[in-house]
Structures are given as C-alpha cells and as structure tokens.
C-alpha cells in the first residue's frame, strides 16, 4: 500500500516520531555488499573513516574517469564487464563505480587491506492494513496481511517467502476501499487467525531458517510506516509486546536515496523500480507482491555495491534514525510474542 502509506504518513497515531528522523540525511556508507564471496571484518582504523590506504586514491581516480563518461560509454563498459546495462545514467555510473571499488577492495583484502562485513540474509516485510479512503486522524490500522520475502545476500537471490492473512479485531468489516486497494476480501480475513497467532507462525518460520542464531539477518521495509506505525499499533491492539527482532530495520527508501543521491520524492516503490530499469511484477498493494518487488530493488542495490544496513529503530515507542557510524548488528533471534498483561 505504497501510495496510501504516503497519505497517512503525516497523521498522528499515538506513535512518537523524532523531529529530525526524515530530514536527517545519513552519510553514504563506503561499505560494500557481497556478490557471492565472504569478506573479512573492517579494521578499526577503517571503521573510523581512515581512507589513507593507497587503494582509495586509485578508486578516486577511477571515479573521476567514470564521471566523464557518456551514457553510451557507460552502457558499453557495463556490457563489457557483463554487468546490468539498465537504468538511468546516474544509476549506471554508480553501478560501474561500485564494481571497480569492490574489485579493488577485494584485491587488497587478500593483501590485508580494507574490507567489509554484511548480513547473511535480508527479510523484506510490507504489511497491508485496514484503511478507509479518508482515514480519520485517530484511525487505528490493523494488519490484515503479513508477508515476508527472504534474500540470500551471498547468492543475491530471493530464496523463500511467507504470507498469511490476519483477522482484524477492532474493525472486523473491511471497507470497500480497502478491499479494492489490497485485493484482500472479507472472506480471507474472516477465515484467518488473529495477529498473535500469525506472529507466532512468523517466529517459527524465522527460527526454522536459523535466523539470528546461525545466520545474521536484518529486516527491510519500504519506508518507516510498517514497523513504527502498523506493527506498533497492532501490538497495542493485540495486547502483546513489540517483538525485539523488529525493533531495528533497513528503510530502503533512505538507503536508495543516499546511495543513488536522489531526493525523497524519487524513492517511491514505482519510481525506484523505474529508475533501475525494472517494472512492477504482480498486483500492486498485494503485500507479498509489494515485498517481492521491494526485494528486487534490494537485490539490484546489492549488485550495484550498496551496503544495505540498519538505519532506523524503535525505542520507547519513538522512531529514531540509526547513524551510518553505528556498528553493523543483526536482528536478535526471534521469540514467541509476549503478553503486555
């Protein structure tokens, strides 16, 4: 529910938000994402921004040359390297720069030079929730679809999905607008389980894949709303505690804007796909299809050399930004929902 989330973003819903969270632009990270190989840890000097190693001069010179290339020259060079040639000029420039940077850093890694670390898996979540065409300011959105799409960052592939519908409690009758927008019918939600039961199955799904125990992972969303608004409200409605594994996440809109150097107005799902030379696959506003398309954007960003990392978190009911200088941490092992009572 991409555009609908935009409409409700500015409304108050008892969720406190940081006054600087959306204006604060995080510094782009110099870290790299994997393309099938394992990278050693960053040295303490590099993590503090020490770029005195000679490899960075080589990278800077290469970047200057790439900046002077025409769109056709970029396309030809990318084709020679067997890289994706789709996307606007700035996207192709970033792809070529990231490829060269990655090759140089991986080369120096073998010689004890600067390298990077990353998550093993990224779990994309894009909820669908109850809604009205004109939501009143005090409207409590209840989650009615809980999808997850799992990305293996080593193979850069979508490897698994989860989807369940959820029975709403406060507003059990879906509005005609909601049914038309999401494609979720009244029958689907009436036959579904309440949120705590679905959340328990989500936890089991994550545990079965050993996320947070054997493998390091992070949650990724399209914006702040899914976790700071929908999940936060739903946990209050269902009288359960907010799940610790969802307290930090990657807001792909922030990551996309910072990596490709574009304004917030160019970070909607449809726009990100278009700028990357991709088209939407499936039904818009289906939670699972939206999640799959968000995952496709994430995979493309990983291929282009982006370090997708946690950049937002919930603390005491407040939405906060996670600075790029913060240590890279995976989400904790998932546990069954706990009652607020």
């Amino acid at each position: 529910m991409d555009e609908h989330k935009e409409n409700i973003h500015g409304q108050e819903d008892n969720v406190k938000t940081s006054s600087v969270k959306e204006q604060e632009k995080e510094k782009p990270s110099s870290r790299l994402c994997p393309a099938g190989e394992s990278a050693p840890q960053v040295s303490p000097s590099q993590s503090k921004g020490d770029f005195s190693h000679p490899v960075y001069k080589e990278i800077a010179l290469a970047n200057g040359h790439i900046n002077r290339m025409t769109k056709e020259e970029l396309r030809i060079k990318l084709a020679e390297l067997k890289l994706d040639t789709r996307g606007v000029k700035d996207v192709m420039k970033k792809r070529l720069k990231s490829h060269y940077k990655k090759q140089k850093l991986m080369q120096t890694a073998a010689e004890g030079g600067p390298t990077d670390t990353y998550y093993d898996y990224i779990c994309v979540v894009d909820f669908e929730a109850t809604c009205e065409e004109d939501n009143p300011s005090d409207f409590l959105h209840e989650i009615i679809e809980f999808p997850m799409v799992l990305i293996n960052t080593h193979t850069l592939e979508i490897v698994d999905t989860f989807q369940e519908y959820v029975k709403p409690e406060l507003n059990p009758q879906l509005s005609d607008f909601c049914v038309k927008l999401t494609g979720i019918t009244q029958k689907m939600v009436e036959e579904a389980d309440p949120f705590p039961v679905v959340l328990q199955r989500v936890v089991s799904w994550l545990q079965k894949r050993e996320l947070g125990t054997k493998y390091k992972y992070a949650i990724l969303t399209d914006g702040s709303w899914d976790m700071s608004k929908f999940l936060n409200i739903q946990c209050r409605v269902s009288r359960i505690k907010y799940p610790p594994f969802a307290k930090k996440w990657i807001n792909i809109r922030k990551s996309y804007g910072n990596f490709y150097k574009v304004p917030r107005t160019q970070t909607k799902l449809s726009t990100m796909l278009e700028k990357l030379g991709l088209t939407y696959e499936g039904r818009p506003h289906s939670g699972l299809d939206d999640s799959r398309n968000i995952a496709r954007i994430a995979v493309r960003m990983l291929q282009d050399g982006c370090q997708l990392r946690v950049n937002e978190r919930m603390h005491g009911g407040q939405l906060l930004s996670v600075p790029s200088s913060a240590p890279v941490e995976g989400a904790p092992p998932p546990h069954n929902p706990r009652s607020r009572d």
Side-chain angles (χ1 to χ4, degrees), residues 156-333:
L156 299 182
E157 293 176 332
I158 294 173
V159 294
D160 210 346
T161 61
F162 173 94
Q163 180 197 38
E164 283 209 23
Y165 297 110
V166 183
K167 180 184 292 185
E169 179 182 338
L170 297 180
N171 297 290
Q173 184 68 38
L174 301 182
S175 68
D176 292 341
F177 173 80
C178 185
V179 172
K180 184 177 180 180
L181 178 73
T182 65
I184 299 172
T185 66
Q186 187 65 37
K187 185 173 184 288
M188 289 177 180
V189 296
E190 285 177 355
E191 294 177 350
D193 285 317
F195 183 78
V197 177
V198 173
L199 180 58
Q200 189 164 343
R201 285 201 281 269
V202 168
V203 168
S204 297
W205 187 83
L206 294 170
Q207 289 175 336
K208 183 178 179 181
R209 284 145 190 82
E210 300 181 278
L211 301 182
T213 51
K214 182 177 180 180
Y215 300 108
K216 188 175 179 181
Y217 77 110
I219 301 295
L220 182 146
T221 64
D222 177 31
S224 306
W225 314 275
D226 293 276
M227 299 301 160
S228 68
K229 184 182 182 73
F230 296 148
L231 183 58
N232 198 30
I233 291 174
Q234 185 63 62
C235 288
R236 295 205 307 270
V237 169
S238 298
R239 296 170 295 283
I240 59 175
K241 293 185 177 180
Y242 190 100
F245 73 85
K247 285 189 175 181
K248 295 182 181 180
W249 63 90
I250 302 165
N251 178 343
I252 198 170
R253 295 195 180 202
K254 280 188 175 182
S255 301
Y256 181 95
N258 291 339
F259 184 68
Y260 293 115
K261 305 294 193 301
V262 297
R264 278 188 60 202
T265 54
Q266 295 183 26
T267 61
K268 290 184 180 181
L269 176 56
S270 56
T271 306
M272 290 189 288
L273 287 167
E274 179 187 353
K275 295 297 182 182
L276 292 173
L278 303 172
T279 55
Y280 189 96
E281 296 179 355
R283 186 197 189 284
H285 307 301
S286 155
L288 183 59
D289 286 347
D290 280 354
S291 297
R292 282 196 181 109
N293 283 279
I294 295 163
R296 292 170 63 217
I297 293 170
V299 167
R300 178 57 57 82
M301 291 176 68
L302 292 171
Q303 291 170 337
D304 284 352
C306 175
Q307 169 63 51
L308 289 173
R309 57 183 295 178
V310 165
N311 52 24
E312 289 184 341
R313 66 189 179 100
M314 287 291 289
H315 181 71
Q318 185 175 12
L319 172 63
L320 301 172
S321 290
V322 175
S324 58
S325 58
V328 179
E329 297 178 345

